[in-house]
Each structure stands twice: as structure tokens, then as C-alpha cells.
Amino acid sequence: MSREKIIIIDFGSQYNQLIARRVRELGVFCEIVPPTAPIESINPFETRGIILSGGPASVYQKGAPICDPMLFSLGIPVLGICYGMQVMAKALGGNVEHTRWREYGRATFTITNHGPLFKDIPKNSISWMSHGDKVKRMPKGFARIALSGNTSIAAFANFEKRLYGVQFHPEVAHTEYGKIIIRNFVRNICGARADWSIRSFVKETVSDIRKIVGNNKVILGLSGGVDSSVAAVLIHKAIGRRLACIFVDNGLLRKNETRLVREVFQKHFKINLRVVDASKEFLGALRGVVDPEKKRKIIGRLFIKIFEREAARIGNVKFLAQGTLYPDLIESRSVFGGPSATIKTHHNVGGLPKKMHLVLIEPLKYLFKDDVRRVGKELRIPPEILGRHPFPGPGLAVRIIGDVTEERCDILREVDDRFIQILKKEGLYGKIWQAFAVLLPIKSVGIMGDKRTYENVVAIRAVTSIDGMTADWAKIPYNVVGKISNRIINEVTGVNRVVYDISSKPPSTIEWE
Ligand code: XMP
């Protein structure tokens, strides 16, 4: 697929995905690539502009990531942001110095030469700084275009060559006119057409899938989560019944999950769906296992085995579709390594073995989570599915501390159901990243009526987060916490105590196991 785009070179800044978001909000497609990507991979006919991201390194540090200096001679406009500006300065013969005082946070920034980058922006405004180094001497042919509180060269430009650098971060919301700066660069300086939209994405992807798949068959492991659901409906729109979705009920799912998946995908979308009830196999394999990593491994392996068995039954399959998203790709090849991806051995359908000899199709691999939700909306997937909280592959097994039995799964399903029902009723569900209950391996004494009880304790957990990497415990109002506790204890047999988890990540994790 050939289309105009902006390339973002990833020097490891935490804000990189935000840059990409800002560019796509302008209706322009963009890709994030590592600095090690060969310059030949930049297609000059498609690439309208290049943005060098910020990053945590110092340009003089040993092994600091740099880019090919040829990048500045391609005749393509370049905008360097923070570390990206310093990389540009150094590559073109300027000088960067280490400052003793880091400039961090809001800073007043004063434009000294508006030019096309600062068009429509007042002379003085607030910008967001986060740097220790700064450009001391500009390369030849460059002029200063802004200064800030303690940086005399807060932005520079070589107007003729269309090379720009800003020391601050225009992509973050704290930079007052940041969106305008990015628009000025992308639309005016690069002249990129605004022709990327969710609608055009759906149209082009459907036509690409048709071409690639031809008359062959595709299988997809549908989990009922947002990504695999959107991938399923999108591929189904392209090839109809030649897509077979496999949904494995491992007995560790939420209440009524199989019913919901059948209703939405089989009844409503008329997708060719195979539901495999493998709960006995999973619970049998988990009997007596208490170690969380062992639980994950057992569940992961068994999933693959069952998936392969089912795929063999379908027969003659050539393609395997997956709902991989862009952040998964970027993180796995990031210059500084993916953040916490390896801390837990996450079980995802991505673990399906190469020996299946299937060709991968990943139609969402250039999308961010919110793009995927918008694609889902365009495809009319109901909000019940699109607005769902993430749910771990190993399901309730990592939310039942200790031994996982059918009876304990049933208790936890009921507790979780009451908790989520109340959050939805109170209008809180959509404001929370993830909410769930955990069944603890201890019992507590209680009193019900005149009788003493000795029953289970459950913990309820709700967190707010942007991406699941860090999280804060949700400040659910006390009266709502009270309602949750009352309903659970009154309605779920076997539970007589509810506690609320008030830990943030880090140092805790979102899940308990
Ligand atoms: P933690 O507990 O590591 O969770 O803070 C971060 C996010 O990842 C989800 N999670 C998993 N997802 N398989 C998955 O597919 C797993 O084994 C797994 N463990 C945690 C978790 O629910 C949260 O959204």
C-alpha cells in the first residue's frame, strides 16, 4: 500500500506514541522506526517529512543512538524534538553542551523569528521542557528562532533546507501551541495531504486483505477482547465465511463470556465461529498448581495445543490472523528494549508456534489502541465489546491465589460480575482502566443472621492508567465501595469479607499474580 506519510525516528522518548497520535489526528499517516533502520528504507516518494523524537540519552554518551547524517540531505523536511534536535545539531557540525541544571517542566518560550514553523503562534507562550543537554552552537546555515527561560537556542531552523529543531516537546498537552507547531510542520512545511482516516483505513485494509488472501482460508483466535474482535470483524468484512474464528473456553473466563461472544460474533455478525469448550482440560491441567508462572505456562501450552487441533479440523488453512497492535511492534524493537514485556510471560495468541506454517496477517499492526476502538466503531461493533477492560490470557487463574478449582472460579465469576455491574451503573466503568476481583487463599470469620460464618475473602481492584505500564488505584467514592461490598456479601455465597486494594503500579502490579 503506497501512501504519503511522516516517519518518526524513535530515540526512546516516552512521548513517541504521542507524536504519532498528533500526526494521525491531522489525518496524516505516520510510522515509527528505530534509528538503526537503513536510510534506503525511507521511500522518498511516500515520505513527506521526518520527525526525530526525544530520548533519554546524551549525544556524547557512548553508544548514544544517532541517525544516518544522510537523512538531512534527502531534501525531505526534518523536525528534531529535544534529543532529536541535538542529534541534528551534532550531525551537521554544531555543538551540544551538558547543562548542570536540568530544565524540566513548564517554561516560557519566546519566538524570535516566526517563519513557517511558528505561524499563528503568539510571541510568548508556555512550552514543556525535559532536558539536561542543549544546543550551544548551531550548525552552519541555521538561525535561532526561539529562546526560553534558560536556553538561548530553544529552537533553530535552516529555512532553505527545511530543517527545524525544537528543544521543547510540542507533542505534550502542556505545550500551549504544540498542536499548531506540529500542524505547521506536517501540513505546511512538509505539505502532507490529510488523507488518512479510520474510514479510509477500513476501506484500504479490506481491499488489501481480499487481494492477499484470495480464495484461501484464514483462522483467528478470538478472545472476546477489543483487538481480536476488531481484527475478526474487519477480516470477515473482507472475506466473509473464509475466515474461521476459534474461541477457546478455558473455564477461566468471566461470567456469561461465551454467551456474549456467540451473540455478538455468531448471531449478529454471522461470523464462522467455533467455540471449543476446553474447561475440563484446563482445570484438570491446573489441579494443585499454585505457582503463577507455572499456571501461565500450562495455560499457554494447552491453548496452543487446542488451537492447533481445531485448526487441523478446519483443514486447508493458509493464513493465521492476529490482532497485534502498533505498540507491541514498537516495544519489541525499541532502542532501549521493551519496558516490562518480559517481566511476566504473557500468554497471547502471538505465542502460536511457527511450525503451524501459516502466513501471518496482522491488519491492525499500524494502529494504536484508540485507533482500533475507532475502527471497531466504524465497523459497528457494540460498545460492550469495544469499551471492555483488558483481561489477561490466563484469566481467572491468576486472580485466584492458590489452587484453581471450578468452585473457586464460580465464586470469583459471581463477585466480579456484581462489581462490574455496579461500576457500570454508577457511570465509573469507562473512567477506569481495569477493574476486577481477586479470590484470596484465606478465610475470615463473619456473622450472618445469628450464625457465625467462616468464609472467603475477596479483594477488589480498580486502577486508572494510560497504557497499563504504570497505574494508580482508582479513587472510587466510599458510598460506591460500600454498595459493592454489600452486594457481593449479600449475593455471593461463600464470601463474607471484601477488601479494597489501594496499591499503585509500581511498586505493585495490576494483577495479583
Ligand atoms: P501487570 O499485572 O503486569 O499487568 O501490571 C499489566 C497488564 O497486562 C495484563 N496481564 C496479562 N495479559 N497475559 C495477558 O494477556 C498475562 O499473563 C497477563 N498478566 C497481566 C494485566 O491484566 C494488565 O492489563
Side-chain angles (χ1 to χ4, degrees):
M1 191 167 23
S2 142
R3 61 151 78 96
E4 291 199 351
K5 61 183 160 206
I6 298 289
I7 298 274
I8 298 164
I9 304 214
D10 176 5
F11 288 112
S13 156
Q14 56 178 328
Y15 302 127
N16 284 347
Q17 296 189 19
L18 257 181
I19 307 177
R21 288 245 39 79
R22 296 282 175 257
V23 175
R24 290 191 187 182
E25 273 163 21
L26 294 167
V28 177
F29 185 69
C30 62
E31 271 180 35
I32 302 182
V33 304
T36 46
I39 195 148
E40 299 77 40
S41 64
I42 295 178
N43 179 336
F45 298 107
E46 290 178 351
T47 309
R48 307 300 301 203
I50 297 170
I51 297 178
L52 310 180
S53 85
S58 167
V59 283
Y60 290 116
Q61 198 179 311
K62 215 171 137 223
I66 49 161
C67 59
D68 189 329
M70 280 297 291
L71 201 77
F72 304 106
S73 321
L74 296 174
I76 300 174
V78 183
L79 171 66
I81 295 176
C82 194
Y83 179 79
M85 174 192 192
Q86 295 153 15
V87 167
M88 183 190 295
K90 183 164 175 265
L92 297 174
N95 200 355
V96 175
E97 71 168 356
H98 189 66
T99 50
R100 270 186 57 210
W101 310 109
R102 285 180 63 81
E103 196 177 16
Y104 187 84
R106 283 163 220 267
T108 324
F109 121 94
T110 305
I111 297 172
T112 53
N113 183 345
H114 271 75
L117 189 65
F118 296 144
K119 189 171 165 277
D120 301 331
I121 297 177
K123 188 173 170 55
N124 292 303
S125 63
I126 299 293
S127 68
W128 183 258
M129 292 280 194
S130 168
H131 65 113
D133 293 359
K134 58 187 177 189
V135 174
K136 185 154 184 243
R137 186 167 45 78
M138 288 178 285
K140 241 172 79 201
F142 278 73
R144 174 179 80 182
I145 56 173
L147 52 89
S148 77
N150 68 5
T151 310
S152 61
I153 308 168
F156 65 25
N158 181 329
F159 293 113
E160 194 196 328
K161 295 199 165 141
R162 299 187 296 170
L163 304 176
Y164 294 84
V166 289
Q167 186 52 68
F168 55 89
H169 288 271
E171 69 276 24
V172 308
H174 309 289
T175 296
E176 265 182 304
Y177 295 94
K179 280 188 180 180
I180 301 184
I181 296 174
I182 295 179
R183 190 188 65 205
N184 284 341
F185 179 71
V186 170
R187 301 276 289 125
N188 302 342
I189 297 171
C190 302
R193 268 202 312 266
D195 60 1
W196 193 81
S197 67
I198 292 299
R199 190 160 290 171
S200 69
F201 167 83
V202 170
K203 215 170 131 216
E204 284 170 27
T205 310
V206 163
S207 124
D208 286 352
I209 295 172
R210 277 192 195 131
K211 268 188 235 142
I212 295 167
V213 172
N215 282 324
N216 293 296
K217 279 195 237 166
V218 180
I219 48 168
L220 179 143
L222 183 67
S223 71
V226 179
D227 311 342
S228 66
S229 298
V230 172
V233 177
L234 188 62
I235 299 170
H236 177 256
K237 190 176 164 76
I239 59 164
R241 309 244 348 139
R242 268 175 290 128
L243 166 73
C245 292
I246 301 171
F247 175 81
V248 179
D249 179 352
N250 56 12
L252 307 163
L253 305 174
R254 285 164 284 193
K255 191 177 175 186
N256 295 333
E257 182 70 13
T258 310
R259 194 161 81 198
L260 174 71
V261 167
R262 273 194 197 282
E263 252 157 41
V264 173
F265 298 97
Q266 211 163 35
K267 291 215 183 97
H268 176 71
F269 284 108
K270 311 266 182 292
I271 286 181
N272 177 2
L273 174 72
R274 303 167 76 97
V275 175
V276 188
D277 180 1
S279 45
K280 293 265 168 325
E281 270 177 271
F282 278 91
L283 290 171
L286 286 169
R287 195 170 300 133
V289 181
V290 294
D291 178 74
E293 286 308 283
K294 278 202 189 118
K295 288 180 182 172
R296 279 192 171 79
K297 284 213 173 86
I298 292 170
I299 295 166
R301 280 195 210 120
L302 198 49
F303 176 85
I304 292 171
K305 196 172 130 200
I306 291 168
F307 191 86
E308 281 180 309
R309 195 166 71 198
E310 212 47 38
R313 286 193 184 138
I314 297 170
N316 258 334
V317 176
K318 186 163 173 206
F319 294 93
L320 171 69
Q322 287 183 347
T324 318
L325 303 195
Y326 206 30
D328 307 332
L329 286 188
I330 304 167
E331 265 152 33
S332 63
R333 61 167 198 217
S334 163
V335 245
F336 299 104
S340 72
T342 48
I343 294 178
K344 284 177 180 171
T345 51
H346 281 191
H347 147 69
N348 279 320
V349 187
L352 288 169
K354 290 208 173 61
K355 75 171 187 327
M356 284 183 83
H357 299 302
L358 298 174
V359 183
L360 259 191
I361 357 182
E362 298 174 304
L364 311 178
K365 73 173 175 196
Y366 286 118
L367 301 189
F368 294 101
K369 195 82 179 183
D370 51 347
D371 292 327
V372 173
R373 290 213 165 93
R374 288 191 297 151
V375 170
K377 214 166 156 203
E378 174 77 20
L379 295 168
R380 297 183 201 283
I381 299 178
E384 255 171 297
I385 297 275
L386 288 184
R388 287 187 118 183
H389 291 171
F391 186 70
L396 302 185
V398 290
R399 294 178 178 173
I400 295 174
I401 314 300
D403 209 1
V404 183
T405 61
E406 190 173 350
E407 189 210 349
R408 292 183 77 72
C409 288
D410 285 339
I411 293 177
L412 189 57
R413 262 191 276 273
E414 294 302 322
V415 172
D416 187 76
D417 173 64
R418 300 313 186 283
F419 178 25
I420 299 300
Q421 271 188 36
I422 295 176
L423 289 182
K424 286 188 173 161
K425 207 162 136 216
E426 299 286 334
L428 293 171
Y429 185 80
K431 298 185 180 135
I432 286 169
W433 162 269
Q434 206 168 354
F436 55 91
V438 181
L439 184 56
L440 305 184
I442 46 169
K443 294 209 165 180
S444 86
V445 173
I447 176 130
M448 274 191 190
D450 286 334
K451 257 181 45 211
R452 182 182 174 279
T453 60
Y454 188 54
E455 306 270 28
N456 290 293
V457 182
V458 293
I460 53 173
R461 174 115 171 106
V463 295
T464 52
S465 173
I466 305 283
D467 52 12
M469 305 303 289
T470 60
D472 197 7
W473 60 278
K475 314 294 181 294
I476 300 179
Y478 275 173
N479 66 325
V480 180
V481 176
K483 280 186 199 167
I484 295 166
S485 159
N486 276 345
R487 257 196 91 181
I488 294 173
I489 296 175
N490 286 337
E491 294 179 22
V492 185
T493 316
V495 175
N496 70 358
R497 194 173 296 265
V498 175
V499 295
Y500 189 48
D501 181 349
I502 49 168
S503 337
S504 292
K505 173 184 178 175
S508 300
T509 49
I510 297 178
E511 303 289 345
W512 275 43
E513 283 202 331

